[in-house]
């Protein structure tokens, strides 16, 4: 990395921070924290982060301060972020004392929380007070704590860990140099370094199998399961960056991981015999050769688990839940150091050939997934109505920056790029998953954080028929993005004391639920903004949603409760009502499958209420209405067809929702069959009218 490249990256960071300043976020440090957390999430370095500025003093006068946090309930891992932002160029080196002070203040916050800080914080319904209560409640269960320094300056050497209250605390820094390497150059594996000597007490014996053409070197070895568990504890999903699948979980009799767990717990010594092991790639490794192919591996750099991510995560989860100590569990490992071969092709080939636990399809990949390639193609070829602008889909992380830098070679091209695809029309894979998941009625998944929600989203793409990725679908995607971002902006401006991000996603999901997922996407696309009337609706809903969400949480920690499906189920019955006159996005008429602007009243509150009532009828009853209604001549065969269609929607968890045209005849059918005494119906004359 040249000094010039670093300087350019630092200048770009400052420009982005300046662009992010607004009345909602008036402080550069807060903008920087939020921006870097989001970008590091996209890069796979962080998960489920929240920006949260909180500072104060303890009774003894000692200061504490954090700028954000992340809590992984699965791993019982707590990250606390502290930020040092400088507005000066070129980037300066931070004094060692300032770095130490930042780490100490953040750690002091953790200690204060464990000692009952929540009772001293006022008001008691803020992000900070809820986080303090969470840390206090989970103090004995938290396995690891990491203090992360975010800075646009240069950070020198510091202690990677420190002893605190009988546990080891990890300390990590993302300074301008490291951020440039990760976000500017796109490197994500370089920071993964595994010291096997430190983890096992000695180098790990291995068998070296070099290839004659030098495309790769293979090493066969066996690792203790607790070593893999510790490495996963340290790096999490970053180890699986090149892995073809997300961790599918251990629950359920049919789970692909259930047998893994059973072997670990009941027959640990047989794990080596029963399990295929893992296949990993490394950028480099420290190895000492011996005779006849024998060698010892001391450390691994750039480790990526290409096949066996589920095995690794299963071992970690079993150890965390104290179901097994992993003491007698050994895991076969094949390590590939790629030489002259193409890493991407090598990974794809390994994944297809080595994975036999369940079928691997092309859809298991992320950036190279055909779905994301299609979205990128649509973004490149779908122009706004003015013909001068379009949206940029960042299929591969860093592609927007690369395109921007490419355009910068010529001033005219640079201006054209900024005009056609400004940063506010950049759409990442995590954005896409967030917006579509919320609109599909999965706000609890969105609350898991960007990476985990994306994993669930990709799993849904495999398990369900893919959406029709055509121009109309892409315009709908952009319309949902515009809606989500408008809600997000409004919530920020309202300055809720806590959980603005969760309120945002629940409002979007609530709007989708109340409207049956049908609003005027065409208007949103054409105007590239929401109406004033819709902003007012969001402003009216937001306090009601906040109160309902907190009420549903009860004595539970809100941030964890909002991640549960049960929370969303409760919220569906507590959503605010719609009222006439509706915003123009909700009041429109349908024509030939599309939408056209229409006078207020084309769609009414009654229409949306009928849709909601349809969704309270189960799949079995819809089929019963269709069969008995048509057989007894009570309903027309076309209406019976509508009822069967709604039965399929209900069976699919209302992923698809009734249209206005379907809702009224369907409710009339339920009413008619119920009046005839053929079914027990809860639909009344008033509900069907």
């Amino acid at each position: 990395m040249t000094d010039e490249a670093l300087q350019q990256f630092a200048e770009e960071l400052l420009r982005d921070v300046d662009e992010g300043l607004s009345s909602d976020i008036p402080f550069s440090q807060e903008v920087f924290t939020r921006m870097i957390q989001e970008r590091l999430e996209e890069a796979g370095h962080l998960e489920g982060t929240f920006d949260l500025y909180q500072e104060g003093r303890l009774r003894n006068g000692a200061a504490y301060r954090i700028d954000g946090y992340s809590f992984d309930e699965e791993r019982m891992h707590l990250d606390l972020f502290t930020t040092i932002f400088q507005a000066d160029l070129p980037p300066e080196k931070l004094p060692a004392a300032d770095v130490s002070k930042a780490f100490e203040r953040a750690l002091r916050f953790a200690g204060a929380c464990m000692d009952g800080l929540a009772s001293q914080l006022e008001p008691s319904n803020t992000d900070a007070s809820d986080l303090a209560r969470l840390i206090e409640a989970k103090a004995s269960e938290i396995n690891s704590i990491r203090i992360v320094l975010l800075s646009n300056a240069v950070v020198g050497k510091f202690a990677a860990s420190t002893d605190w209250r009988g546990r080891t605390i990890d300390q990590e820094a993302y300074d301008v140099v490291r951020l440039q390497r990760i976000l500017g150059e796109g490197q994500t594996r370089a920071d993964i370094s595994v010291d096997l000597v430190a983890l096992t007490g000695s180098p790990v014996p291995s068998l070296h199998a070099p290839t004659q053409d030098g495309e790769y070197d293979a090493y066969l070895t066996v690792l203790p399961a607790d070593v893999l568990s510790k490495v996963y504890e340290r790096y999490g999903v970053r180890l699986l960056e090149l892995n073809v699948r997300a961790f599918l979980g251990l629950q359920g009799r049919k789970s692909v991981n259930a047998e893994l767990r059973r072997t670990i717990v009941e027959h640990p010594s047989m794990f080596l015999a029963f399990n295929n092991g893992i296949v990993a790639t490394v950028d480099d490794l420290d190895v000492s050769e011996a005779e006849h192919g024998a060698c010892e591996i001391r450390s691994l750099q750039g480790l990526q688990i290409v096949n066996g991510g589920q095995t690794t995560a299963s071992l970690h989860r079993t150890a965390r839940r104290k179901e097994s100590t992993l003491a007698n569990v050994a895991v076969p490992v094949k390590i590939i150091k790629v030489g002259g071969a193409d890493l991407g092709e090598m990974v794809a080939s390994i994944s297809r050939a080595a994975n036999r636990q369940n079928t691997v399809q092309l859809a298991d990949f992320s950036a190279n997934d055909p779905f994301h390639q299609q979205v990128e193609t649509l973004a490149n070829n779908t122009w706004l109505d003015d013909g001068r602008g379009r949206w940029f889909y960042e299929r591969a992380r860093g592609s927007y920056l690369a395109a921007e830098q490419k355009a910068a070679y010529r001033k005219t091209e640079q201006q054209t790029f900024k005009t056609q695809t400004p940063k506010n029309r950049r759409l990442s894979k995590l954005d896409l998953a967030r917006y579509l998941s919320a609109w599909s009625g999965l706000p609890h998944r969105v609350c898991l954080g960007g990476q985990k929600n994306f994993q669930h989203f990709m799993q849904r793409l495999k398990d369900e028929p893919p959406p029709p990725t055509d121009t109309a679908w892409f315009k709908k995607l952009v319309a949902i993005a515009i809606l989500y971002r408008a809600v997000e902006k409004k919530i920020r401006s309202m300055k809720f004391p806590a959980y603005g991000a969760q309120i945002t996603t629940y409002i979007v999901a609530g709007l989708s639920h109340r409207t049956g997922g049908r609003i005027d996407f065409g208007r949103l696309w054409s105007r590239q903004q929401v109406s004033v009337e819709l902003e007012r609706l969001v402003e009216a809903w937001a306090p009601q949603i906040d109160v309902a969400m907190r009420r549903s949480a009860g004595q539970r920690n809100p941030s964890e409760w909002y991640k549960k499906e049960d929370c969303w189920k409760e919220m569906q019955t507590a959503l605010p009502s719609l009222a006439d006159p509706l915003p123009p996005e909700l009041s429109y008429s349908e024509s030939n499958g599309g939408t056209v602007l229409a006078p207020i009243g084309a769609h009414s509150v009654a229409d949306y209420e009928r849709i909601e009532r349809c969704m309270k009828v189960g799949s079995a009853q819809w089929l019963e209405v269709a069969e008995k209604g048509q057989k007894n001549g009570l309903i027309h065969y076309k209406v019976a067809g509508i009822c069967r269609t709604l039965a399929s929607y209900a069976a699919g968890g209302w992923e698809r929702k009734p249209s206005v045209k379907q809702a009224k005849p369907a409710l009339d059918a339920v009413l008619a069959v119920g009046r005839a005494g053929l079914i027990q119906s809860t639909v009344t004359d008033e509900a069907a009218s």
Side-chain angles (χ1 to χ4, degrees):
M1 176 182 57
T2 65
D3 291 339
E4 183 180 352
L6 180 63
Q7 176 74 7
Q8 184 179 354
F9 179 76
E11 291 174 358
E12 183 70 20
L13 282 181
L14 287 180
R15 282 196 296 270
D16 289 346
V17 169
D18 287 340
E19 289 176 6
L21 290 172
S22 66
S23 58
D24 304 333
I25 316 176
F27 302 109
S28 298
Q29 183 166 290
E30 185 179 348
V31 174
F32 177 79
T33 301
R34 177 175 294 179
M35 181 179 75
I36 296 302
Q37 284 180 333
E38 289 177 351
R39 294 182 182 181
L40 287 176
E41 272 207 57
E42 288 181 21
H45 278 242
L46 303 176
E47 273 192 273
T49 60
F50 297 95
D51 54 299
L52 168 61
Y53 179 77
Q54 180 67 25
E55 68 173 347
R57 290 189 177 276
L58 304 178
R59 290 189 176 91
N60 62 6
Y64 62 80
R65 187 187 122 186
I66 62 167
D67 291 88
Y69 76 96
S70 172
F71 180 68
D72 188 333
E73 190 177 21
E74 285 292 319
R75 295 192 293 154
M76 279 295 169
H77 175 84
L78 174 68
D79 281 340
L80 293 176
F81 297 92
T82 182
T83 298
I84 299 178
F85 177 79
Q86 291 185 345
D88 300 323
L89 285 173
E92 298 179 357
K93 185 174 181 179
L94 293 175
D98 290 355
V99 174
S100 298
K101 186 185 297 183
F103 283 131
E104 289 168 2
R105 288 185 303 190
L107 189 55
R108 203 171 285 137
F109 174 82
C113 291
M114 293 180 179
D115 296 337
L117 177 65
S119 62
Q120 304 170 34
L121 295 176
E122 294 293 340
S124 60
N125 63 338
T126 63
D127 277 329
S129 57
D130 283 339
L131 174 61
R133 280 190 289 270
L134 173 65
I135 295 175
E136 183 178 2
K138 302 288 187 180
S140 61
E141 301 174 53
I142 294 176
N143 292 322
S144 57
I145 298 176
R146 180 175 60 160
I147 310 300
V148 182
L149 171 62
L150 306 177
S151 180
N152 66 331
V154 178
V155 176
K157 291 184 178 180
F158 59 90
S161 62
T162 184
D163 293 328
W164 180 78
R165 297 194 178 189
R167 67 174 82 195
T168 300
I169 304 299
D170 293 323
Q171 298 183 153
E172 193 165 353
Y174 287 91
D175 68 347
V176 67
V177 177
R178 189 178 181 193
L179 290 173
Q180 199 278 339
R181 189 169 66 245
I182 296 169
L183 304 177
E185 297 179 350
Q187 297 179 359
T188 59
R189 304 188 307 275
D191 296 316
I192 299 179
S193 179
V194 179
D195 187 338
L196 293 175
V197 175
L199 289 170
T200 65
S202 62
V204 175
S206 175
L207 180 65
H208 181 202
T211 58
Q212 293 182 354
D213 53 17
E215 287 193 343
Y216 68 90
D217 284 285
Y219 298 85
L220 306 178
T221 188
V222 175
L223 287 177
D226 67 317
V227 169
L228 281 174
S229 176
K230 289 174 182 176
V231 173
Y232 185 80
E233 175 73 35
R234 174 69 178 83
Y235 294 106
V237 294
R238 286 180 58 205
L239 285 173
L240 315 180
E241 178 191 345
L242 298 178
N243 198 337
V244 293
R245 284 172 295 149
F247 179 48
L248 301 181
L250 295 170
Q251 303 303 319
R253 186 175 299 173
K254 296 182 180 179
S255 169
V256 72
N257 296 299
E259 191 62 35
L260 284 174
R261 175 185 172 277
R262 192 176 300 112
T263 302
I264 295 168
V265 176
E266 299 176 8
H267 307 286
S269 62
M270 299 302 295
F271 191 86
L272 182 65
F274 291 170
N275 190 264
N276 291 333
I278 68 174
V279 181
T281 62
V282 294
D283 294 335
D284 200 3
L285 71 170
D286 182 3
V287 60
S288 58
E289 301 284 351
E291 294 182 352
H292 309 298
C295 62
E296 292 183 328
I297 302 175
R298 303 181 63 84
S299 64
L300 306 169
Q301 287 78 44
L303 175 67
Q304 286 287 284
I305 297 175
V306 176
N307 174 258
Q310 296 181 81
T311 297
T312 307
S314 297
L315 291 167
H316 174 266
R317 181 179 287 187
T318 304
R320 188 183 66 77
R321 292 184 174 180
K322 296 181 172 57
E323 295 174 329
S324 169
T325 62
L326 304 182
N328 298 314
V329 181
V331 184
V333 181
K334 178 165 63 178
I335 300 172
I336 305 294
K337 180 189 176 185
V338 178
D342 179 82
L343 180 60
E345 289 185 9
M346 176 70 76
V347 168
S349 298
I350 292 171
S351 300
R352 283 191 291 267
N355 198 312
R356 292 293 181 267
Q357 291 179 345
N358 62 323
T359 304
V360 179
Q361 303 171 352
L362 287 174
D364 293 326
F365 298 89
S366 57
N368 293 325
D369 186 300
F371 169 79
H372 294 290
Q373 291 176 340
Q374 290 168 13
V375 177
E376 181 183 48
T377 299
L378 286 167
N380 292 337
N381 295 293
T382 306
W383 294 81
L384 303 185
D385 290 352
D386 61 11
R388 293 178 297 192
R390 57 184 175 175
W391 282 66
F392 188 100
Y393 184 61
E394 196 170 36
R395 174 177 65 86
R397 183 176 45 78
S399 59
Y400 182 90
L401 179 62
E404 188 178 40
Q405 290 176 342
K406 182 180 179 181
Y409 292 133
R410 293 184 180 178
K411 193 169 184 179
T412 54
E413 290 184 8
Q414 182 180 24
Q415 187 57 43
T416 300
F417 181 83
K418 289 183 177 180
T419 301
Q420 288 182 355
T421 52
K423 287 182 180 178
N424 66 327
R425 289 205 292 264
R426 169 186 169 270
L427 190 65
S428 71
K429 296 196 299 292
L430 266 61
D431 289 334
L432 178 145
R434 181 184 304 119
Y435 304 154
L436 292 183
S437 294
W439 192 254
S440 297
L442 300 168
H444 51 288
R445 293 270 178 85
V446 178
C447 291
L448 290 171
Q451 286 291 336
K452 288 186 178 179
N453 176 59
F454 181 74
Q455 290 172 16
H456 282 293
F457 178 80
M458 292 302 296
Q459 189 65 45
R460 286 174 60 212
L461 283 183
K462 292 192 300 177
D463 295 341
E464 301 169 6
T469 44
D470 53 17
T471 301
W473 176 89
F474 181 75
K475 289 182 177 181
K476 177 181 176 181
L477 164 64
V478 170
I480 294 171
I482 292 168
L483 172 64
Y484 196 104
R485 291 178 179 183
V487 174
E488 194 171 41
K489 183 177 180 181
K490 173 56 69 175
I491 297 304
R492 285 177 181 170
S493 70
M494 296 176 72
K495 301 188 184 302
F496 282 88
Y499 306 116
Q502 292 90 333
I503 294 171
T504 295
T505 192
Y506 270 84
I507 285 180
V508 172
L511 282 170
S512 177
H513 185 78
R514 275 280 185 254
T515 62
R518 287 176 166 83
I519 65 171
D520 196 343
F521 299 114
R523 178 190 174 96
L524 287 167
W525 166 264
S526 297
R527 303 200 174 193
Q528 291 288 300
Q529 63 181 12
V530 302
S531 67
V532 174
E533 293 86 351
L534 185 55
E535 284 189 350
R536 289 173 184 158
L537 185 149
V538 172
E539 190 172 13
W541 271 33
Q544 300 177 64
I545 293 280
D546 181 35
V547 170
M549 289 172 68
R550 285 187 174 277
R551 187 185 300 120
S552 72
Q555 298 302 311
R556 293 167 287 224
N557 180 266
S559 64
E560 297 307 308
W561 170 242
Y562 299 158
K563 300 174 184 177
K564 309 295 184 184
E565 186 176 4
D566 287 344
C567 175
W568 171 235
K569 287 180 179 178
E570 285 192 30
M571 284 301 300
Q572 290 178 50
T573 63
L575 292 171
S577 300
L578 294 171
D580 288 321
L582 291 169
E585 291 89 348
L586 275 57
S587 181
Y588 66 99
S589 64
E590 298 179 6
S591 175
N592 298 323
T595 66
V596 295
L597 296 182
I600 297 298
H603 278 181
S604 66
V605 171
D607 291 326
Y608 293 119
E609 288 178 346
R610 279 192 285 268
I611 290 173
E612 187 176 1
R613 291 188 184 103
C614 282
M615 293 167 62
K616 292 180 179 178
V617 178
S619 178
Q621 189 169 69
W622 280 122
L623 290 174
E624 195 176 13
V625 168
E627 180 182 353
K628 293 182 178 179
Q630 187 175 357
K631 182 178 180 181
N632 290 275
L634 297 172
I635 61 176
H636 192 273
Y637 76 91
K638 289 185 178 180
V639 176
I642 291 174
C643 293
R644 292 189 180 95
T645 298
L646 297 192
S648 69
Y649 291 177
W654 296 110
E655 180 98 2
R656 297 187 63 184
K657 298 175 176 63
S659 68
V660 170
K661 292 180 179 178
Q662 290 172 324
K664 191 175 190 313
L667 289 175
D668 287 341
V670 176
L671 186 61
V673 177
R675 281 175 179 166
L678 299 176
I679 63 168
Q680 286 189 342
S681 171
T682 57
V683 176
T684 63
D685 291 279
E686 181 182 353
S689 62

